[in-house]
Amino acid sequence: MTTDDPVNIDAPVNTGNPVNTGRPVNIDDRVNTGDPVNTGDPVNTAGPLNIDDSVNIDDSVGSDEEYRGPATLRLDDGVITVEVRMSARFEPIEGRFRWAGRTNPDDVLRERVGSGLRAAVIVVNRKETPVKLSEPDPWGGVRISGTGTPPWFGRTA
């Protein structure tokens, strides 16, 4: 019987006799639980990993796709200093960057965002950029996002 053979669902089930498929069964046939599964595509795990490094961000605006460090959020009624983790990606169809990240937990910022605050200006090394604020995460950090040149590009670290 192969997987292409039709199955007769009206035939009685015999649970007392062994199944006779018309050919001998080889229990060692293609069963190997100690080796990786062979999907049919050859995979070379012995050599070095070759990563295509063809993404090139214009050096005039910076080249770091991620930023972790201090930032200042200018709100409508004051300033909050936070630590942030942000990353950026270039969207070729839109022709601009999209970037996002999170702040470290801050009770004042969490309370303000929880009350409806959704916009601020983020300052990284004296570069000011508008930023959107989203709901706080369970750990007290606030999601931040923006479009255009990321605020850390061109920084003097």
Side-chain angles (χ1 to χ4, degrees):
M1 174 184 282
T2 67
T3 57
D4 296 331
D5 292 337
V7 176
N8 184 355
I9 59 172
D10 295 325
V13 176
N14 183 350
T15 59
N17 296 327
V19 176
N20 183 358
T21 62
R23 66 177 178 86
V25 176
N26 181 356
I27 62 170
D28 294 325
D29 190 25
R30 305 249 183 224
V31 175
N32 184 346
T33 59
D35 292 333
V37 175
N38 183 356
T39 62
D41 295 330
V43 176
N44 181 359
T45 59
L49 182 61
N50 183 11
I51 299 174
D52 180 20
D53 196 18
S54 61
V55 175
N56 185 11
I57 300 173
D58 186 305
D59 287 332
S60 66
V61 294
S63 61
D64 294 334
E65 294 176 13
E66 294 183 358
Y67 174 75
R68 288 179 182 229
T72 302
L73 289 174
R74 275 193 335 180
L75 310 177
D76 53 2
D77 63 348
V79 173
I80 297 177
T81 302
V82 292
E83 290 287 319
V84 295
R85 295 179 317 273
M86 298 184 287
S87 63
R89 70 181 184 282
F90 183 73
E91 295 292 339
I93 302 235
E94 296 177 10
R96 64 182 175 178
F97 283 94
R98 289 194 175 268
W99 48 272
R102 294 209 174 271
T103 69
N104 63 319
D106 184 279
D107 292 336
V108 173
L109 181 60
R110 185 178 64 234
E111 183 179 312
R112 294 292 314 280
V113 170
S115 299
L117 179 67
R118 292 294 181 259
V121 172
I122 189 167
V123 182
V124 176
N125 289 338
R126 292 184 249 149
K127 183 176 179 185
E128 298 181 1
T129 308
V131 66
K132 295 176 188 172
L133 306 173
S134 300
E135 288 299 316
D137 62 27
W139 302 274
V142 172
R143 179 170 165 72
I144 53 179
S145 62
T147 57
T149 303
W152 65 93
F153 275 30
R155 72 180 191 273
T156 54

